[in-house]
Amino acid sequence: MKKIIISLFTILALFSCKNEPQNLVKIQGKLLPVSEEITSKKEITDFIQPYKQKVESEMNTVLSFTEIDLVRTDGELESSLGNLMADLCFKRANPVFNSRTGKNIDFALFNYGGIRAGITKGDIKTENAFQLMPFENSLVVVELTADKIKELVNYLIAEQRAHPVSKQFNLKISKNGYDLNINNKPFDNSKTYYVLTSDYLQNGGDNMIFLKNPVNIENLDYKVRNAIIDFFKETDTVKVTLDGRFKTEK
């Protein structure tokens, strides 16, 4: 009888432990306002301080110098900052591309909206490079057909904005259409062109869909921001001009 009673209690215990499905009944939240009344914890502040000082020191490192304010709004279809960005990326990227492929980039193209801050007259610091390019975009080279280049030109004409293009690209809009020279030669319908841009734009960003599905693509594994920093490090004083690389003939 004792064994029967023990077995009965064991069976009842097993059934009582059966997992029942759990249902979410209610979610509660609490708003914690962040204000000056909240004091920092000394141990956390002390832990962070060395890293904070290191970052501030690196951001304040002087890399170069500019005698003028560099902005994206000082021209109609080109700008000092846009010309600088396109030209410096071309200069830094072409040796990398050439060493891998034995070929040269024809020109560089970026977007107006990708320029996130100007650079004021005076010292150029690491901080300026991060403000100019806060994104983790990388440089890529796409091989485009002549038809794709025509789409690119039509995009620039329709946009009427100072999208950064390098000095190898010379586009003049007239009443009768446009004239395009690349590397001081008239545009050739029978060849393909190697265009430097960012991975963001190559994927169709800013509606630059002509950069998608190229003949070939080469990812340079080189961030745009790093190219900017490297250029500033090797340049004592930045010189930029508005040279009419993209303009409307009056």
Side-chain angles (χ1 to χ4, degrees), residues 111-162:
N111 64 319
Y112 179 87
I115 300 176
R116 309 303 289 190
I119 301 176
T120 56
K121 175 181 177 180
D123 290 337
I124 299 175
K125 302 177 181 180
T126 304
E127 180 183 26
N128 294 120
F130 276 81
Q131 292 171 341
L132 174 60
M133 176 50 63
F135 312 114
E136 298 301 310
N137 295 341
S138 294
L139 293 169
V140 299
V141 179
V142 290
E143 183 180 2
L144 299 183
T145 62
D147 286 341
K148 289 276 192 178
I149 296 297
K150 291 176 184 177
E151 290 180 35
L152 184 158
V153 170
N154 289 331
Y155 173 89
L156 292 176
I157 293 174
E159 284 276 301
Q160 290 291 299
R161 302 189 81 181

Side-chain angles (χ1 to χ4, degrees), residues 2 5 95 147:
K2 184 177 181 182
I5 294 173
D147 286 341

Side-chain angles (χ1 to χ4, degrees), residues 35 61 93 110 131 133 145-146 176 184 190 199 210 218 226:
S35 65
T61 299
F110 298 96
Q131 292 171 341
M133 176 50 63
T145 62
N176 299 320
N184 296 317
S190 66
D199 54 353
F210 49 82
E218 182 74 25
N226 290 349

